[in-house]
Amino acid sequence: MRRIPIFLLLASGLFAQSIRFAADRQVFLLTTSQSSYAMGIAPDGSLRNIYWGAPLWSLDDLPALTPARELSSFDPRQMMENEEFPGWGGTRYYEPALKIVREDGDRDLVLQYVSHRIAGNDLDISLKDIRDSVEITLHYRVYPELGIVSRSATIRNGTPQPLTIESAQAAAWYMPAGAGYQLSYLSGRWAAETQLVREPIHEGMKVLESRKGHTSHGFNPWFAIDQGDANEESGRVWFGALAWSGNWRITVEQTPYRQVRVTGGFNSFDFSYPLKPGESLDTPAFYGGFSAAGFGGASRTLHHFERERILPGGAGARLRPVLYNSWEATEFDVDEAGQKALAGKAAALGVELFVMDDGWFGARNDDHAGLGDWVPNPRKFPNGLKPLIDSVNALGMDFGLWVEPEMVNADSDLYRAHPDWVIHFDGRPRSELRTQMVLNLARDDVREYIFGVLDKLATDYPIRYLKWDMNRPLSEPGWPEAGPADERKLWVAYVRNLYRILDRLRAKHPSLEIESCSGGGGRVDLGILERVNEVWASDNTDAFDRLRIQAGFSQAHAARIMSAWVTDIPNWVDGRSVSLSYRFLVAMQGALGIGSNLNKWTTEDFATATKMVALDKRIRATVQNGDLFRLFSPWAGDLTANQYVGADGRQSVLFAFRHSQQYNSPVPTIRLRGLDPRAMYRVESIDRKLAEKQPQLSGAYLMEAGLNVILRADFDATAVVLDRVE
Ligand code: GLA
């Protein structure tokens, strides 16, 4: 359904090009299947936003820009002109996209259009300061069939004197002028990530950010804005996601002039980036989209885009395998015999990827020692990792390994050899969190060392998968060798070197897959997602809590990205106990994993799990690559229901969860979505918890009359599989 509008428009020749420019009025029109984005060059040379919203097709509709009217000497016209990339200069008082200081102290920056270049779906617009050669190239890339526009900027010092950047943003986005907007964002903390918040936008500025050096559990760099009337299925929603895994910031401002602006890029807090003459800085990319089909439509667009254009392998990437990880079962107590025993049991369940977590290296018996020493512990693995990996492979599973390459314990050979390699200010405390410090990845020698360690592991052993962890934020961000003028480059250089290591590793070991973990979901953003195959969404594996964590996660990220494990009860985070099938049905909505202590499972547990793993393999293409319809939100009431529709429309799966029962009342009827009303579907309840007994039902009936699941007592769950009858 989603692709029909662009197809029709393209077929009718109304816009054969995704980017058009009208020279007479100096306006640009960028168009995707779901949105248009328009801007123009004003008579004073400023580049200004004209429109962002549903698709427009007529370039002739766009007006030439005229100067805004000054309201008073306190309200200059620049404040009402929606500049695409405002410098901090002249009479501009809102959040700038760029703020600099030149060596001679001049901080004024007024940017004017110089030229542009259109090449296919790419548009580069050059801007320059009115006086000197501070040169900006704005990069726009249109993804016509995916409904996304990406924006980023390159800032170049073309002047003969050094300058320092104090704020560098990727983009400023503007909603249509008005009031009554609502902002949706994802906030959280460790073990409670991606909680969805929606609140009115009032005058003033809301800041979403990380100052921790990684993306952070606190906020995810994603936003959605609606006009107060959108819901899951309908209404206009503007959304964006920033591709940066370090200090980032998104500000949402409503001005007194009914402008709603979203500005995002590097966090300007503690930011200072010197550029010598001829040097430049690239900002991260900020992806934006629009949907007229509510928050569900916005998420499906973003998911589709991530699957096709962000994740490694794109549309052709293999489905995420069923994984086993023993962390919650064994913690640091790993050894060859114990892991082999678990591997045998995991293989019998149908697990495809066996991952050994923390504890396998150096003097790592708890979290006080060993980080940095990436050689197998000789007591636990007297013959190295090969015997274990061989036996995992012989069981038909791939092998994966946990690493935390950015970190070091004081009690490690690496720290004893290179105390200067950690991030620190000379003569100041080096704060430890989880008794570990952070290596200064901004240093090229540290980068080379880490790449070398990981490259050796991936070369010496047939490792298919690395779980790359990062268990604390940065602190005391000094870089003594860089010197005071340059040391704040660390915030950017750290992340760029992290990306370089990941890029080089994947290039050298093309079948190596990587999971991004940062104490759960501390590093989930479109920057890291270009380089990893999945992420650990949260250390909180309580299935009921996960419903909300996953619902928030699904606002911004596709199901296949989200690693989700079934673990033991009572859950270690909150002590809650829910049935094994409930835990499986929650985890199956991402990339299924098992993290239980299989040595403690009963025969019945094995039987349930074997059935559930087989079910997962039957439906995972639908979940991982399909469209998600959030039918009942876990924040709204007693029932949570999610439905996935496969990309080819041949299968759909409904998952339903009940929190608690009172007065023997039934759960509401669930009307499905995204089906073909004229098609027939074979209806299969996995556990007879369905009132409808008809073996087949039409799409029209399923979507209009709906299904009635029978969920009783507390924490009951079920699933219904619908296969289209050809
Ligand atoms: C972090 C991760 C866990 C586990 C431990 C190991 O907390 O989120 O999944 O890997 O580290 O120390």
Side-chain angles (χ1 to χ4, degrees):
M1 298 289 265
R2 188 199 301 125
R3 284 168 218 161
I4 287 174
I6 180 101
F7 171 74
L8 285 177
L9 286 168
L10 287 170
S12 64
L14 287 175
F15 69 94
Q17 293 162 312
S18 62
I19 302 172
R20 288 179 293 164
F21 178 65
D24 56 342
R25 280 157 294 125
Q26 301 277 288
V27 290
F28 298 89
L29 180 60
L30 283 48
T31 302
T32 77
S33 53
Q34 294 169 58
S35 59
S36 281
Y37 190 91
M39 57 204 157
I41 305 155
D44 67 354
S46 61
L47 181 71
R48 284 158 44 184
N49 182 270
I50 297 177
Y51 173 84
W52 187 24
L56 304 177
W57 58 269
S58 170
L59 183 60
D60 295 341
D61 290 346
L62 298 179
L65 284 168
T66 52
R69 194 171 57 88
E70 185 172 291
L71 285 182
S72 77
S73 59
F74 298 96
D75 306 280
R77 70 175 170 82
Q78 284 83 358
M79 295 297 287
M80 282 151 276
E81 296 176 343
N82 294 342
E83 276 184 62
E84 279 288 292
F85 197 81
W88 185 70
T91 52
R92 292 166 184 80
Y93 303 97
Y94 44 52
E95 190 58 34
L98 182 61
K99 184 174 187 306
I100 62 159
V101 52
R102 298 171 184 80
E103 192 180 45
D104 63 11
D106 176 354
R107 307 195 301 285
D108 191 43
L109 181 68
V110 176
L111 297 173
Q112 275 182 333
Y113 169 88
V114 177
S115 64
H116 73 268
R117 195 172 61 87
I118 297 173
N121 295 321
D122 287 308
L123 165 65
D124 277 356
I125 302 180
S126 303
L127 310 176
K128 170 185 160 315
D129 178 56
I130 48 173
R131 288 273 175 274
D132 63 15
S133 292
V134 178
E135 300 159 355
I136 319 302
T137 310
L138 303 182
H139 310 286
Y140 296 79
R141 174 167 288 181
V142 181
Y143 298 87
E145 69 288 4
L146 296 171
I148 297 287
V149 173
S150 106
R151 294 182 56 188
S152 63
T154 301
I155 300 131
R156 182 174 176 277
N157 181 4
T159 76
Q161 63 170 322
L163 63 80
T164 299
I165 302 174
E166 296 182 334
S167 170
Q169 305 302 306
W173 305 92
Y174 297 86
M175 307 309 123
Y181 281 97
Q182 299 260 340
L183 168 68
S184 299
Y185 60 94
L186 298 170
S187 74
R189 58 177 164 80
W190 174 82
E193 297 87 339
T194 53
Q195 301 296 307
L196 180 63
V197 184
R198 182 164 173 249
E199 64 190 25
I201 299 176
H202 294 302
E203 281 179 21
M205 190 157 90
K206 172 92 183 180
V207 180
L208 314 175
E209 66 171 353
S210 166
R211 298 181 176 193
K212 292 181 158 179
H214 66 143
T215 323
S216 97
H217 303 75
F219 295 102
N220 188 273
W222 168 88
F223 74 89
I225 291 179
D226 72 287
Q227 289 172 317
D229 57 357
N231 57 35
E232 205 38 45
E233 298 175 22
S234 65
R236 296 185 174 96
V237 177
W238 292 259
F239 60 92
L242 190 63
W244 188 244
S245 314
N247 281 1
W248 60 272
R249 189 169 77 142
I250 294 176
T251 57
V252 181
E253 275 174 288
Q254 177 165 325
T255 75
Y257 319 107
R258 293 161 71 88
Q259 292 157 304
V260 174
R261 328 168 63 237
V262 179
T263 309
F266 294 124
N267 198 335
S268 49
F269 176 80
D270 200 44
F271 190 88
S272 172
Y273 201 99
L275 290 184
K276 294 195 190 78
E279 287 184 342
S280 60
L281 173 68
D282 294 321
T283 73
F286 202 165
Y287 297 94
F290 169 85
S291 172
F295 297 107
S299 313
R300 287 187 290 278
T301 300
L302 198 47
H303 297 173
H304 194 197
F305 174 69
E306 289 167 349
R307 289 193 303 262
E308 300 264 333
R309 292 305 173 101
I310 297 290
L311 292 168
R318 70 165 184 152
L319 291 172
R320 301 311 309 144
V322 179
L323 161 165
Y324 179 79
N325 180 307
S326 70
W327 169 247
E328 286 195 26
T330 63
E331 297 211 339
F332 299 95
D333 199 7
V334 295
D335 63 19
E336 189 180 313
Q339 292 290 299
K340 277 184 177 170
L342 286 167
K345 291 178 181 166
L349 292 171
V351 165
E352 299 156 304
L353 171 63
F354 182 87
V355 184
M356 178 160 66
D357 211 281
D358 200 349
W360 60 270
F361 52 89
R364 189 74 170 164
N365 298 316
D366 54 36
D367 62 15
H368 287 71
L371 278 178
D373 301 339
W374 301 105
V375 285
N377 177 295
R379 184 179 57 77
K380 300 175 182 180
F381 297 93
N383 302 305
L385 300 182
K386 193 153 184 317
L388 171 62
I389 301 180
D390 284 348
S391 87
V392 165
N393 291 161
L395 287 162
M397 297 184 293
D398 286 323
F399 181 78
L401 192 64
W402 180 94
V403 288
E404 197 182 355
E406 297 150 87
M407 299 292 160
V408 68
N409 288 120
D411 185 1
S412 68
D413 293 340
L414 184 66
Y415 189 68
R416 282 182 280 273
H418 296 286
D420 54 324
W421 277 11
V422 302
I423 294 176
H424 71 283
F425 291 112
D426 268 344
R428 308 264 331 158
R430 302 169 177 205
S431 294
E432 296 184 13
L433 291 167
R434 210 193 188 207
T435 57
Q436 62 197 54
M437 292 169 278
V438 188
L439 292 171
N440 187 354
L441 223 62
R443 289 172 58 132
D444 289 349
D445 50 358
V446 174
R447 180 195 68 208
E448 289 309 304
Y449 172 79
I450 291 176
F451 173 76
V453 164
L454 298 171
D455 180 38
K456 183 165 167 19
L457 279 172
T459 306
D460 290 353
Y461 297 113
I463 295 173
R464 183 77 209 265
Y465 184 94
L466 282 180
K467 176 177 170 184
W468 181 309
D469 213 335
M470 188 221 195
N471 274 315
R472 58 157 292 174
L474 279 53
S475 65
E476 295 114 357
W479 181 3
E481 301 74 24
D486 279 311
E487 75 176 340
R488 279 190 266 177
K489 280 183 168 175
L490 180 143
W491 293 121
V492 174
Y494 184 99
V495 179
R496 290 256 149 87
N497 274 348
L498 168 72
Y499 288 171
R500 278 175 73 178
I501 296 171
L502 288 164
D503 292 344
R504 277 170 70 191
L505 259 184
R506 294 194 323 104
K508 190 151 176 217
H509 306 278
S511 66
L512 181 69
E513 297 183 331
I514 300 171
E515 171 182 351
S516 167
C517 174
S518 181
R523 191 148 64 192
V524 187
D525 61 83
L526 271 61
I528 201 81
L529 286 172
E530 283 181 83
R531 300 162 168 96
V532 301
N533 306 76
E534 54 186 90
V535 305
W536 185 223
S538 180
D539 279 345
N540 186 342
T541 50
D542 167 50
F544 175 67
D545 280 2
R546 271 282 176 141
L547 285 179
R548 288 185 178 177
I549 293 170
Q550 296 186 179
F553 188 97
S554 79
Q555 296 289 329
H557 304 302
R560 63 173 302 139
I561 292 169
M562 182 180 71
S563 178
W565 304 348
V566 170
T567 59
D568 288 331
I569 50 170
N571 185 269
W572 76 282
V573 172
D574 61 10
R576 186 178 283 118
S577 294
V578 300
S579 73
L580 188 55
S581 44
Y582 185 107
R583 283 174 271 154
F584 263 102
L585 293 175
V586 171
M588 251 182 232
Q589 295 180 73
L592 176 64
I594 299 173
S596 292
N597 188 348
L598 302 180
N599 297 324
K600 293 196 177 152
W601 270 15
T602 63
T603 318
E604 200 192 333
D605 291 337
F606 277 105
T608 304
T610 308
K611 221 177 78 194
M612 287 298 196
V613 170
L615 174 64
D616 181 74
K617 289 179 182 171
R618 222 184 107 199
I619 61 160
R620 65 180 162 187
T622 300
V623 170
Q624 293 185 21
N625 290 339
D627 275 342
L628 165 64
F629 295 89
R630 292 175 294 245
L631 305 178
F632 285 84
S633 157
W635 284 284
D638 183 35
L639 175 71
T640 300
N642 294 318
Q643 182 202 351
Y644 299 79
V645 179
D648 61 6
R650 287 169 68 179
Q651 189 184 64
S652 178
V653 195
L654 168 70
F655 294 91
F657 305 86
R658 181 168 214 182
H659 179 265
S660 49
Q661 162 69 284
Q662 276 190 300
Y663 314 117
N664 192 24
S665 37
V667 291
T669 298
I670 302 174
R671 289 188 185 78
L672 302 191
R673 302 201 56 221
L675 303 177
D676 177 352
R678 307 195 63 82
M680 292 301 294
Y681 296 85
R682 204 169 31 251
V683 180
E684 183 190 329
S685 160
I686 65 154
D687 50 13
R688 298 169 200 238
K689 293 182 187 167
L690 185 64
E692 285 71 25
K693 300 297 172 216
Q694 303 92 312
Q696 295 186 1
L697 286 168
S698 68
Y701 186 91
L702 288 162
M703 292 194 289
E704 299 304 329
L707 291 176
N708 293 284
V709 294
I710 305 161
L711 297 178
R712 302 181 60 80
D714 298 344
F715 300 115
D716 200 358
T718 190
V720 180
V721 183
L722 302 155
D723 286 301
R724 188 179 169 131
V725 180
E726 297 304 335

